[in-house]
């Protein structure tokens, strides 16, 4: 199932995260299990027998055994295919930030047969409270007297952002209605941390972790001499963390009518690099995938842009919004980059529709329900933004069609939700055609049902069109038909579906009792 997803062939023959790991019975993994328990309950020896805290501790102790941790980290591959946030070639679970390892385990538990969905919700509730309690970035950002250096960068800071992002995702896509509401309401704190920590901007040259391939502007020719794999990885992790946080915000806007918290024009970090470079296991493989060793060395980078430096979101949007004269050369972006850009266009559509609703409320104008034509009395500024957004959307589709044929020929499967932006193109067209208040001002859960119903009909259309053209369906067509529609206590496994049918596994240790 991995064949063709990533360009480096070695990835197809291995499971991410575990190639160089010690076995579950080894001392390092046992020590990590103990460290994770201590991270959650630093005063476990002082817990009163029979107390709720002691009960929670015993439940967590049953989950965080070395064997279960090893199993969960293996299961994370199902989510990683959809959202390649973690740099698997260099990720060391023993040395990594405990909060990130716990967040990864929570996500992986969704795909494991060792825990029920209800137990996973208990697990992620506990882990989220602990990570918020222990996160240094969270503490700093919530202190109004504390000044954050926007140029500050440490690997542990990025791992904190990765952990918080994964947990926010779980609360949106695997939570109960109450957990989902909590995640939406508290996201503004996370967005504020992201902004204050400077994650929206690339690191300057004065920073020791500076990467020439992550600064704005064209290729200068000095990149080969300045390139360093460690710095490149750290900056790419930083860029992907920002991309994923932005997607949480944009998805909340699309599916829950939440006001977007990020101005897309302010996101200056690069779009995600090609899969072949991100999944490369060695410095030389990465350099070859990026094109730093010449065009001939890029032969393994089939599905990417084959560009050493990616555009930033703001740069790419400027091109898309230049109107009918705007052009993006083929292979300017990869599929993940296009997925981010279509979400940025959705944010613009939401802002337009909200402005139209405000105008119509004050002018008592009837609401339109047809082609994207603004009502009389709407300012020229809104009308121009609407026209340019329609043009940007169609230019995005042109780029998608051209690059899909080049980057994903029939022999190159396109797996992973983040590589499946075309469904959101059709959704955007529907959104542009309707300014009805009952849709754009609908409560979150009602909006959620409506959008997933729309996506369900779009999936059928895309699948039929793909069959006719002989192209890959993509991953959005595998979403369970009733996800987000019937039962609003969600199971993320039915949204970001496993890459293959999971095997039936049984615990080698007694099944833990999970507090409900």
């Amino acid at each position: 199932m991995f064949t063709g997803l990533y360009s480096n062939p070695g990835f197809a023959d291995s499971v991410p995260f575990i190639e160089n790991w010690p076995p579950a019975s080894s001392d390092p993994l046992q020590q990590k299990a103990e460290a994770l328990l201590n991270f959650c309950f630093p005063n476990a020896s002082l817990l009163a027998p029979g107390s709720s805290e002691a009960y929670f501790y015993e439940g967590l102790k049953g989950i965080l055994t070395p064997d279960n941790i090893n199993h969960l980290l293996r299961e994370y591959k199902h989510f990683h295919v959809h959202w390649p946030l973690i740099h698997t070639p260099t990720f060391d679970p023993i040395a990594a930030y405990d909060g990130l390892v716990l967040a990864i385990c929570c996500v992986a538990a969704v795909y494991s047969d060792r825990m029920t969905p209800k137990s996973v919700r208990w697990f992620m509730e506990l882990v989220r409270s602990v990570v918020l309690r222990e996160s240094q970035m969270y503490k700093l950002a919530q202190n109004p007297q504390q000044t954050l250096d926007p140029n500050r960068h440490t690997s542990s800071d990025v791992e904190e952002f990765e952990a918080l992002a994964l947990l926010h995702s779980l609360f949106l896509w695997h939570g109960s209605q109450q957990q989902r509401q909590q995640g939406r309401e508290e996201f503004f704190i996370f967005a504020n941390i992201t902004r204050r920590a400077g994650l929206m901007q690339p690191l300057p040259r004065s920073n020791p972790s500076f990467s020439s391939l992550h600064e704005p502007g064209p290729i200068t020719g000095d990149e080969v001499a300045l390139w360093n794999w460690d710095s490149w990885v750290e900056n790419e992790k930083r860029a992907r963390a920002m991309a994923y946080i932005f997607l949480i915000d944009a998805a909340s806007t699309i599916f829950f009518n939440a006001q977007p918290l990020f101005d897309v024009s302010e996101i200056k970090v690069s779009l995600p690099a090609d899969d072949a470079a991100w999944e490369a296991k060695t410095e030389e493989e990465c350099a070859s995938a990026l094109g730093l060793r010449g065009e001939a060395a890029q032969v393994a980078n089939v599905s990417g842009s084959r560009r050493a430096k990616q555009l930033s979101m703001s740069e790419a949007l400027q091109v898309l919004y230049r109107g009918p004269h705007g052009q993006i050369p083929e292979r300017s972006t990869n599929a993940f980059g296009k997925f981010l850009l279509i979400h940025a266009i959705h944010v613009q559509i939401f802002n337009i529709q909200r402005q139209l609703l405000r105008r119509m409320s004050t002018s008592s104008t009837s609401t339109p329900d047809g082609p994207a034509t603004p009502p009389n009395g709407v300012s020229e500024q809104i009308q121009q933004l609407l026209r340019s957004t329609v043009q940007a959307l169609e230019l995005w589709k042109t780029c998608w069609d051209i690059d899909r044929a080049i980057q994903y020929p029939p022999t190159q499967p396109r797996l992973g939700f983040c590589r499946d932006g075309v469904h959101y193109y059709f959704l955007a067209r529907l959104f542009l055609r309707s300014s009805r208040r009952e849709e754009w001002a609908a409560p979150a859960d009602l909006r959620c049902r409506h959008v997933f119903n729309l996506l369900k009909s779009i999936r059928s259309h895309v699948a039929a069109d793909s069959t006719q053209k002989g192209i890959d369906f993509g991953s959005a067509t595998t979403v369970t038909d009733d996800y987000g529609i019937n039962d609003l206590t969600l199971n993320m496994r039915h949204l970001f579906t496993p890459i293959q049918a999971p095997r039936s596994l049984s615990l080698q240790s007694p099944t833990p009792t999970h507090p409900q």
Side-chain angles (χ1 to χ4, degrees):
M1 292 297 293
F2 280 110
T3 303
L5 173 57
Y6 299 104
S7 299
N8 53 314
F11 189 82
D13 303 321
S14 63
V15 179
F17 293 94
I18 62 171
E19 280 191 313
N20 301 313
W21 286 12
S25 58
S26 68
D27 288 341
L29 203 50
Q30 176 62 45
Q31 291 168 6
K32 189 64 176 182
E34 294 170 359
L36 294 178
L37 283 169
N38 186 62
F39 182 80
C40 296
F41 290 93
N43 300 310
S45 61
L46 303 179
L47 296 177
S51 65
S52 58
E53 289 82 1
Y55 183 53
F56 294 157
Y57 175 74
E58 290 302 319
L60 189 63
K61 191 175 179 180
I63 296 173
L64 297 178
T65 66
D67 176 66
N68 284 348
I69 294 171
N70 191 299
H71 160 72
L72 290 173
L73 291 170
R74 289 170 182 262
E75 291 297 290
Y76 185 78
K77 66 180 180 289
H78 297 293
F79 185 83
H80 177 77
V81 167
H82 293 289
W83 306 109
L85 178 65
I86 307 299
H87 191 246
T88 59
T90 60
F91 181 74
D92 179 359
I94 305 301
Y97 168 57
D98 290 336
L100 177 57
V101 176
L102 285 166
I104 289 173
C105 286
C106 283
V107 171
V110 171
Y111 299 93
S112 171
D113 290 342
R114 300 185 179 189
M115 293 179 67
T116 66
K118 190 173 183 179
S119 296
V120 175
R121 293 185 192 101
W122 173 84
F123 184 28
M124 71 192 203
E125 187 90 49
L126 188 151
V127 169
R128 184 172 183 271
S129 66
V130 170
V131 170
L132 294 183
R133 182 192 73 202
E134 298 296 329
S135 170
Q136 294 305 307
M137 296 303 296
Y138 215 78
K139 291 176 183 177
L140 288 172
Q142 291 201 82
N143 182 356
Q145 307 301 321
Q146 179 69 46
T147 301
L148 287 176
D149 180 3
N151 295 329
R152 161 192 171 130
H153 173 87
T154 67
S155 183
S156 61
D157 289 345
V158 176
E159 288 185 346
E160 285 195 19
F161 279 108
E162 290 171 339
L164 290 165
L166 290 174
L167 291 167
H168 269 285
S169 288
L170 276 169
F171 268 63
L172 284 184
W173 307 123
H174 194 76
S176 63
Q177 289 178 270
Q178 182 179 359
Q179 287 174 321
R180 195 160 53 255
Q181 181 178 352
Q182 181 184 358
R184 292 195 308 270
E185 291 175 349
E186 295 181 1
F187 184 73
F188 79 94
I189 301 175
F190 189 29
N192 182 45
I193 297 171
T194 302
R195 185 174 290 104
R196 291 187 60 196
L199 220 63
M200 298 168 68
Q201 307 290 332
L203 293 175
R205 285 180 173 264
S206 58
N207 193 291
S209 298
F210 166 78
S211 166
S212 60
L213 293 182
H214 288 87
E215 68 173 345
I219 294 289
T220 64
D222 297 329
E223 285 77 14
V224 175
L226 295 174
W227 188 75
N228 173 277
W229 193 36
D230 291 338
S231 296
W232 184 89
V233 167
E234 287 304 313
N235 280 266
E236 185 65 19
K237 285 163 61 176
R238 196 170 179 271
R240 285 176 179 246
M242 182 64 239
Y244 194 68
I245 294 167
F246 164 74
L247 286 173
I248 295 173
D249 187 42
S252 297
T253 297
I254 294 169
F255 290 92
F256 306 116
N257 270 340
Q259 183 68 36
L261 299 177
F262 293 110
D263 182 341
V264 292
S265 65
E266 294 179 350
I267 301 178
K268 307 294 185 182
V269 292
S270 302
L271 293 171
D274 293 346
D275 291 329
W278 182 239
E279 298 294 341
K281 298 176 184 177
T282 67
E283 180 174 356
E284 191 59 28
E285 282 184 15
C286 184
S288 296
L290 290 170
L292 301 182
R293 302 295 183 259
E295 186 176 343
Q298 277 189 296
V299 65
N301 187 356
V302 177
S303 62
S305 67
R306 293 187 176 179
R307 294 177 180 265
K309 181 187 289 189
Q310 300 294 324
L311 295 169
S312 70
M313 182 181 295
S314 58
E315 288 174 326
L317 284 173
Q318 285 176 12
V319 177
L320 289 174
Y321 271 81
R322 283 174 189 163
H325 303 295
Q327 286 187 338
I328 298 183
E330 63 182 37
R331 281 192 181 273
S332 292
T333 53
N334 55 43
F336 196 176
K338 291 182 185 66
F339 188 83
L340 285 157
L341 292 174
I342 194 65
H343 277 71
I345 293 173
H346 267 279
V347 170
Q348 296 289 62
I349 293 172
F350 178 89
N351 289 331
I352 291 169
Q353 293 289 13
R354 281 298 177 93
Q355 290 184 63
L356 291 176
L357 284 180
R358 284 195 293 269
R359 286 277 180 173
M360 290 184 289
S361 296
T362 56
S363 63
S364 300
T365 306
S366 60
T367 60
D369 187 14
T373 304
N376 295 330
V378 173
S379 70
E380 174 60 29
Q381 182 181 7
I382 299 177
Q383 293 187 50
Q384 179 56 41
L385 180 58
L386 178 58
R387 286 193 292 267
S388 61
T389 298
V390 171
Q391 292 167 350
L393 182 64
E394 294 311 312
L395 181 54
W396 181 95
K397 182 60 162 57
T398 299
C399 295
W400 172 270
D401 288 340
I402 292 172
D403 285 350
R404 183 205 51 74
I406 298 170
Q407 297 169 337
Y408 292 97
T411 57
Q412 189 78 7
R414 191 180 75 254
L415 300 180
F417 215 90
C418 72
R419 302 172 188 88
D420 219 2
V422 69
H423 298 78
Y424 287 86
Y425 160 78
F426 290 108
L427 186 64
R429 290 188 63 181
L430 291 175
F431 283 178
L432 278 168
R433 290 178 174 272
S434 178
S435 296
R436 290 179 293 184
R437 174 172 297 279
E438 58 265 31
E439 293 181 11
W440 292 99
D445 286 334
L446 184 61
R447 175 67 167 181
C448 180
R449 280 197 173 101
H450 175 64
V451 175
F452 273 110
N453 265 314
L454 290 176
L455 280 175
K456 182 179 177 181
S457 63
I458 290 169
R459 291 202 308 271
S460 302
H461 168 74
V462 172
D465 184 61
S466 299
T467 300
Q468 183 179 1
K469 295 178 179 178
I471 61 177
D472 191 81
F473 287 8
S475 290
T477 54
T478 66
V479 177
T480 305
D481 283 346
D482 62 352
Y483 183 88
I485 297 173
N486 294 336
D487 185 0
L488 286 181
T489 298
L490 303 178
N491 186 338
M492 192 172 72
R493 183 189 181 115
H494 297 158
L495 176 61
F496 310 131
T497 53
I499 57 172
Q500 57 190 1
R503 292 172 297 173
S504 178
L505 297 172
S506 59
L507 280 169
Q508 296 178 9
S509 55
T511 304
T513 301
H514 307 301
Q516 304 295 347

